[in-house]
Amino acid sequence: MKTLIEKQLPYKYKVYEIIKEDILSGKYRAGEELNERELAETMGVSRTPVREAIQMLEHNGWVSIETYKGAVIRSFGRKYLADLMKVRTALELSAVEDAAKNITDETFAAIEQTYQQQVAAMDSSNNLDFAQLDRLFHQSIYELSGNNTLIDLLGNLNDMIFVTATKALSGAPRRQSTIREHAAILEALRCRNADQAVRAMKLHMEQTHCNVQHNTSID
């Protein structure tokens, strides 16, 4: 069955998003090759936008080009994820500091609702539910920062980390500690206390980093 592409945007961007979503969903695994011809046939486009999309995926760190293989889904090993988390932490601290200054009663209520949904998903057997709500919680903070450059940078970083986040958030102990850490961030935002928000987020990022590393089997 063909996945036909909508024509409002250049094909390469649509192809890029489809392939990236397939990586995030687990359809494509680390080390798997991307076949330009098969992708073009499946999506009902020529090979040119597929090739351009693969170039974009390589540029953004999703695939690597290997001799004799072509485009291969890259592995997210411990060192690579550690580097990502170091950059993510710096951006997260900046985002939550600005969010604490910009938050209103209305925007706080929206973040609190996401938090409550995540609490309700604590016992869900679907790991993806909890991970997606976790991502939404953080995304709400990014948007409150009002920094569009930061939002774009964190978006791609967190997409990559999301590949391992589902597994990393699958255990009850980490889910429980995540909820506690989010509650501390939420309280700081409620008080409009930027320093407290930064401290709470720093602790959360440290714990997240440890957990991601623990659940990464590739060196």
Side-chain angles (χ1 to χ4, degrees):
M1 179 179 178
K2 290 186 177 182
T3 305
L4 298 179
I5 306 299
E6 296 177 11
K7 298 185 178 181
Q8 291 88 340
L9 290 174
Y11 287 140
K12 65 179 180 180
Y13 297 111
K14 287 289 187 178
V15 174
Y16 171 89
E17 290 299 331
I18 289 172
I19 297 174
K20 192 175 86 168
E21 284 302 316
D22 285 342
I23 296 171
L24 289 172
S25 70
K27 179 179 178 180
Y28 294 126
R29 301 291 184 179
E32 188 171 347
E33 298 175 42
L34 293 178
N35 185 296
E36 284 185 15
R37 179 183 57 78
E38 291 179 0
L39 286 168
E41 290 178 356
T42 299
M43 298 181 189
V45 298
S46 70
R47 292 178 67 170
T48 299
V50 173
R51 189 175 302 114
E52 292 173 339
I54 288 174
Q55 290 171 350
M56 292 168 61
L57 289 163
E58 180 192 18
H59 176 76
N60 289 332
W62 291 99
V63 305
S64 57
I65 306 301
E66 298 184 8
T67 307
Y68 306 120
K69 283 188 175 183
V72 176
I73 306 299
R74 73 170 301 155
S75 300
F76 296 98
R78 286 192 178 91
K79 175 63 168 62
Y80 189 74
L81 285 170
D83 291 343
L84 287 181
M85 285 298 302
K86 186 173 183 179
V87 176
R88 179 192 174 188
T89 296
L91 294 173
E92 290 270 2
L93 298 185
S94 177
V96 79
E97 181 178 21
D98 289 340
K101 298 172 183 176
N102 297 335
I103 200 162
T104 64
D105 289 345
E106 183 179 1
T107 52
F108 176 80
I111 295 177
E112 186 176 36
Q113 182 179 29
T114 299
Y115 168 79
Q116 294 299 339
Q117 289 173 338
Q118 194 174 22
V119 171
M122 277 271 291
D123 298 323
S124 173
S125 59
N126 186 342
N127 294 334
L128 193 59
D129 289 344
F130 192 86
Q132 287 176 333
L133 286 165
D134 184 86
R135 188 175 177 183
L136 180 58
F137 179 87
H138 285 271
Q139 183 65 36
S140 298
I141 293 172
Y142 309 157
E143 291 172 1
L144 270 176
S145 75
N147 186 329
N148 290 329
T149 301
L150 179 149
I151 292 168
D152 290 341
L153 289 170
L154 275 169
N156 195 57
L157 284 176
N158 283 336
D159 281 343
M160 291 182 174
I161 294 168
F162 188 79
V163 174
T164 61
T166 303
K167 180 180 178 182
L169 290 170
S170 62
R174 182 51 192 157
R175 288 191 183 190
Q176 292 165 359
S177 60
T178 294
I179 291 298
R180 289 195 299 271
E181 291 155 22
H182 280 189
I185 295 167
L186 198 63
E187 176 61 17
L189 291 175
R190 186 186 68 79
C191 296
R192 276 73 167 175
N193 188 323
D195 290 341
Q196 182 182 340
V198 168
R199 288 194 298 272
M201 182 63 78
K202 187 172 186 292
L203 175 61
H204 181 46
M205 286 296 99
E206 289 171 351
Q207 295 302 312
T208 299
H209 185 188
C210 289
N211 197 52
V212 168
Q213 289 291 302
H214 178 73
N215 284 278
T216 303
S217 58
I218 301 172
D219 292 324

